Amino acid sequence: MSITASEISSHLVLGGARSGKSSYAERLVTRFPAPYIYLATAEVSDEEMRERVLKHQEHRGAEWQTIETPLDLTGTLRDLRLLKRAVLLDCLTLWLSNLLLHGNSMNHETHIDELCSCIQTLNYPLVIVSNEVGTGIVPENALARRFRDLAGFANQRIAALCSSVTLVVAGIPLKLK
Amino acid sequence: MSITASEISSHLVLGGARSGKSSYAERLVTRFPAPYIYLATAEVSDEEMRERVLKHQEHRGAEWQTIETPLDLTGTLRDLRLLKRAVLLDCLTLWLSNLLLHGNSMNHETHIDELCSCIQTLNYPLVIVSNEVGTGIVPENALARRFRDLAGFANQRIAALCSSVTLVVAGIPLKLK
Amino acid sequence: MSITASEISSHLVLGGARSGKSSYAERLVTRFPAPYIYLATAEVSDEEMRERVLKHQEHRGAEWQTIETPLDLTGTLRDLRLLKRAVLLDCLTLWLSNLLLHGNSMNHETHIDELCSCIQTLNYPLVIVSNEVGTGIVPENALARRFRDLAGFANQRIAALCSSVTLVVAGIPLKLK
């Protein structure tokens, strides 16, 4: 089965660390016809991580194809219009963190603008996982503060354009939009 | 137009860093007849901050009058009964932080008691912005822990007396009361 | 009066620091017939804490019996089947923290599995207080990261099996389940 026009949508799934946001997002994607694309923004930097990633891939099973896209997320999303499959992006905040650490000189807000424009042109269902990181104490570390501001800004921008937004707390989805 | 009796209300807007809480609170205030009062609790300590504050003022536009009140918030709220305009207080947690750093010897809880008593006597609509800071890991810094406790305590007290309470997540308001 | 079969239930109350979660949980328990059991997971390590604990006990009043159970929480819950009274467990995250610091060599996830199995066999109403700790910035401290992961994992597991789950924000309960 292929994706029909009525299935094209975007859904932002927010949550804290170990809130169950990724599992919930996975369940959302598997409501669409298989196969699925898993868009990983994690940078696989060592053997331990490579093993964890492989374990996750096995858990998701053969219906999922993993694509790693630590930096050129917008380009990858655009290219995926050719495949027209349901896509799980896991996760937005890790991509922002990669931008902060290794990104080119382009302004981070510009990267987010480009991502937002791209999302509005997609021809497939997209579920975006993102961390809520702004409800603790102001971090003492300056880079952590920049990351926190950027994540909050990006979550607002993406939430505004997604058709659905869900906050996951202790594994339970709370519909925000 | 002036504020009518039925418009007198208090609304607490909670949210994390860059959650969109201030923008949402601003929209709530502009539902009332102009002009509006912007009550800033930020202490303008350097030139960079002065510029940021001016930029925010320009963004809000000519219908807003800004009053800075880093410490005597309760006195300022009381005095504003003479003007009888819709007031945006941005934000409660910054005022608490100012109290902790520069406040007089009066107990912080007493300051919060006085604020709560004052809010119940106002003759104008008040929208209060406050940060949710308690859902991260316990901070290692002792002052940060005191601030976190004080902010949580104040948010509970103010929420109990406000007619409306909203949590803003990624720019989306979630009605709590 | 004794607990009837229809009153046997489990309710998870989540919230940040000073969110009012314990007060709300206490109110939930006192809807059941007295007397009540207060299950304290805090380890009383010094005189200051001893005084705070005594103050809390006086505040709750004579209808409450306090039992301290810093480590063998599952055993204590099992034993309480003999009493068949409404129980307030305050709190789950402190127990996890005790496990991390002083627990035996058994895997922490196994402890959580055993707790989950036990909860499903209880013959009394149980209200569980737990901290939401995962929506701040990733902690720099490795032990804090482990604790955060464990707390998120435990909250998900317990939330899945409880009949009700409530998030408390600024003293206001938000029903999740």
Side-chain angles (χ1 to χ4, degrees), chain B residues 14-171:
Chain B
L14 289 162
R18 297 285 173 126
S19 60
K21 58 190 184 306
S22 292
S23 303
Y24 177 70
E26 232 178 274
R27 293 200 300 276
L28 288 178
V29 170
T30 54
R31 291 178 189 171
F32 296 103
Y36 317 114
I37 308 288
Y38 183 84
L39 220 50
T41 54
E43 289 191 291
V44 178
S45 50
D46 57 24
E47 198 46 40
E48 189 195 327
M49 188 150 183
R50 170 71 55 197
E51 279 173 32
R52 265 181 47 201
V53 166
L54 283 172
K55 223 174 108 182
H56 278 292
Q57 286 183 17
E58 279 169 30
H59 156 80
R60 281 191 298 272
E63 291 187 318
W64 288 83
Q65 182 192 344
T66 301
I67 297 173
E68 290 176 20
T69 182
L71 286 169
D72 186 22
L73 172 59
T74 302
T76 307
L77 286 172
R78 197 180 296 123
D79 293 349
L80 284 170
R81 289 187 295 199
L82 292 169
L83 288 182
K84 234 185 146 178
R85 310 305 326 177
V87 172
L88 172 55
L89 162 54
D90 194 356
C91 66
L92 183 72
T93 25
L94 216 44
W95 174 68
L96 294 171
S97 164
N98 294 340
L99 278 188
L100 270 182
L101 296 171
H102 314 293
N104 60 29
S105 60
M106 193 165 86
N107 184 289
H108 302 311
E109 276 78 9
T110 311
H111 277 289
I112 294 170
D113 285 344
E114 288 190 356
L115 176 64
C116 288
S117 303
C118 172
I119 287 173
Q120 290 169 300
T121 68
L122 300 180
N123 61 353
Y124 53 82
L126 174 65
V127 178
I128 301 170
V129 175
S130 189
N131 274 75
E132 176 53 65
V133 298
T135 55
I137 281 290
V138 179
E140 293 184 25
N141 178 312
L143 188 63
R145 283 199 301 275
R146 280 184 64 199
F147 170 67
R148 190 170 87 134
D149 282 352
L150 197 62
F153 173 78
N155 283 343
Q156 278 190 58
R157 291 288 309 278
I158 303 285
L161 63 85
C162 278
S163 34
S164 305
V165 180
T166 302
L167 177 69
V168 180
V169 180

Side-chain angles (χ1 to χ4, degrees), chain A residues 51-122:
Chain A
E51 281 174 32
R52 265 180 47 201
V53 165
L54 283 172
K55 222 174 108 182
H56 278 294
Q57 285 182 18
E58 281 170 30
H59 155 81
R60 279 191 299 271
E63 290 187 317
W64 288 83
Q65 181 192 345
T66 301
I67 297 173
E68 288 176 22
T69 181
L71 286 169
D72 186 23
L73 172 60
T74 302
T76 308
L77 286 172
R78 196 181 297 122
D79 293 349
L80 285 170
R81 288 185 297 199
L82 292 169
L83 289 182
K84 234 185 147 179
R85 309 304 328 175
V87 173
L88 172 54
L89 162 55
D90 194 357
C91 66
L92 183 72
T93 26
L94 215 44
W95 173 68
L96 294 171
S97 165
N98 294 340
L99 277 189
L100 270 181
L101 295 171
H102 314 292
N104 61 28
S105 61
M106 193 166 86
N107 185 289
H108 302 312
E109 276 78 9
T110 311
H111 278 289
I112 295 169
D113 285 344
E114 289 190 355
L115 175 65
C116 289
S117 302
C118 172
I119 288 173
Q120 290 169 299
T121 67
L122 300 180

Side-chain angles (χ1 to χ4, degrees), chain C residues 110-126:
Chain C
T110 311
H111 278 290
I112 294 170
D113 285 344
E114 289 190 354
L115 176 65
C116 288
S117 303
C118 172
I119 288 173
Q120 290 169 300
T121 68
L122 300 180
N123 61 353
Y124 53 81
L126 173 65

Side-chain angles (χ1 to χ4, degrees), chain A:
Chain A
M1 277 198 302
S2 64
I3 301 295
T4 61
S6 69
E7 288 175 325
I8 299 166
S9 60
S10 50
H11 193 143
L12 176 64
V13 178
L14 289 162
R18 297 284 172 126
S19 61
K21 58 189 183 308
S22 291
S23 303
Y24 177 70
E26 231 178 274
R27 292 201 301 276
L28 288 177
V29 170
T30 54
R31 291 179 188 170
F32 297 103
Y36 317 113
I37 308 288
Y38 183 84
L39 220 49
T41 54
E43 288 192 290
V44 178
S45 49
D46 56 25
E47 200 44 43
E48 189 195 326
M49 187 150 184
R50 171 70 56 196
E51 281 174 32
R52 265 180 47 201
V53 165
L54 283 172
K55 222 174 108 182
H56 278 294
Q57 285 182 18
E58 281 170 30
H59 155 81
R60 279 191 299 271
E63 290 187 317
W64 288 83
Q65 181 192 345
T66 301
I67 297 173
E68 288 176 22
T69 181
L71 286 169
D72 186 23
L73 172 60
T74 302
T76 308
L77 286 172
R78 196 181 297 122
D79 293 349
L80 285 170
R81 288 185 297 199
L82 292 169
L83 289 182
K84 234 185 147 179
R85 309 304 328 175
V87 173
L88 172 54
L89 162 55
D90 194 357
C91 66
L92 183 72
T93 26
L94 215 44
W95 173 68
L96 294 171
S97 165
N98 294 340
L99 277 189
L100 270 181
L101 295 171
H102 314 292
N104 61 28
S105 61
M106 193 166 86
N107 185 289
H108 302 312
E109 276 78 9
T110 311
H111 278 289
I112 295 169
D113 285 344
E114 289 190 355
L115 175 65
C116 289
S117 302
C118 172
I119 288 173
Q120 290 169 299
T121 67
L122 300 180
N123 61 353
Y124 53 82
L126 174 65
V127 178
I128 302 169
V129 176
S130 189
N131 274 75
E132 175 54 65
V133 298
T135 55
I137 281 290
V138 179
E140 292 183 26
N141 179 311
L143 188 62
R145 284 199 300 276
R146 278 185 66 198
F147 170 67
R148 190 170 86 135
D149 282 352
L150 197 62
F153 173 77
N155 283 343
Q156 278 189 58
R157 292 288 309 278
I158 304 286
L161 62 85
C162 278
S163 36
S164 303
V165 180
T166 302
L167 177 69
V168 180
V169 180
I172 302 173
L174 179 68
K175 191 177 169 60
L176 295 180
K177 177 181 170 179

